[in-house]
Amino acid sequence: MVRAYTQEHVYHHPWDRVTSAAFRKFTDPSASTSLSHVLDVHTLSRSLDPSTGRLRTVRSITVHSPSLPFLLRRALGGRDSLTVNCVETTVVDPVGRSMEVSVSNVGLRGLIEVEERSFYGPHQDDPGRRTAFRQETSIRCKPLSAIAAIAGKVESRCAERFLQNSQKGRDVVERICGYLEAESIRSKSAIS
């Protein structure tokens, strides 16, 4: 059984501001309360392709899992949640004005697989001032597939938590876009 969903959002900010904010999402001091499930983030690699101008970044992200159903907690020694390591790969194409972010868990893959892909690009109706965001997520419980009811509960609980955290992440990006917009206005005023 696989639980999958897609979310879309329109940022009322230009693409370059939104992608800058998305990169800063985990380092924003006010994000610690919104993104409290994120425990640690490290950049593993960053490379720039000189022929295309594409920037590729790989980060390690450590998170708390959502609370687990009772039977799974018992099987795991009574723990309510687990610490999970994930890998995020981001490719930014400044020429094509696109950014793709792929995240998957590397820890607990024998238990659950979470795959998430996000796309950022200029909005077709107002490409200079708005950014379209699309996120596709799939969650699959592996060994519990034989016990469909438990697998369904785990997948549902994970999906609920991912939807909540996704909204929190978008809120943080919106807030950072506001900061960047204010910085831009101050800079233009200082130059005048």
Side-chain angles (χ1 to χ4, degrees), residues 104-118:
S104 62
N105 63 305
V106 291
L108 303 177
R109 283 193 75 80
L111 178 64
I112 190 166
E113 288 181 356
V114 179
E115 304 288 334
E116 180 181 277
R117 291 180 63 194
S118 301

Side-chain angles (χ1 to χ4, degrees), residues 19-190:
T19 54
S20 293
F23 261 106
R24 297 179 186 187
K25 153 169 95 167
F26 296 121
T27 60
D28 180 53
S30 61
S32 61
T33 54
S34 302
L35 303 177
S36 58
H37 67 289
V38 178
L39 302 173
D40 201 15
V41 179
H42 291 284
T43 299
L44 302 176
S45 68
R46 186 176 296 141
S47 61
L48 180 65
D49 183 331
S51 63
T52 64
R54 289 185 179 152
L55 173 66
R56 183 177 190 274
T57 303
V58 179
R59 299 194 287 190
S60 165
I61 302 172
T62 304
V63 298
H64 270 301
S65 73
S67 45
L68 304 169
F70 175 74
L71 288 175
L72 200 50
R73 280 192 304 239
R74 297 248 355 230
L76 296 170
R79 294 172 27 194
D80 183 49
S81 67
L82 301 171
T83 300
V84 182
N85 294 309
C86 303
V87 172
E88 174 194 80
T89 303
T90 303
V91 177
V92 180
D93 180 358
V95 176
R97 294 174 47 96
S98 67
M99 181 166 95
E100 181 177 339
V101 182
S102 299
V103 182
S104 62
N105 63 305
V106 291
L108 303 177
R109 283 193 75 80
L111 178 64
I112 190 166
E113 288 181 356
V114 179
E115 304 288 334
E116 180 181 277
R117 291 180 63 194
S118 301
F119 307 91
Y120 297 81
H123 192 275
Q124 65 183 9
D125 295 337
D126 194 358
R129 297 186 352 189
R130 293 193 294 169
T131 302
F133 169 78
R134 179 181 171 89
Q135 182 179 52
E136 301 167 352
T137 304
S138 67
I139 301 165
R140 182 170 77 110
C141 280
K142 292 175 76 174
L144 301 179
S145 295
I147 311 169
I150 294 174
K153 281 187 176 189
V154 171
E155 290 167 352
S156 291
R157 190 157 297 155
C158 287
E160 288 169 16
R161 178 63 70 90
F162 273 87
L163 287 168
Q164 292 167 358
N165 290 340
S166 181
Q167 178 61 50
K168 291 175 184 177
R170 286 192 304 274
D171 292 345
V172 170
V173 171
E174 288 280 7
R175 188 172 44 248
I176 295 170
C177 282
Y179 301 155
L180 293 172
E181 182 177 31
E183 275 179 25
S184 175
I185 291 169
R186 280 193 302 273
S187 295
K188 287 176 184 174
S189 296

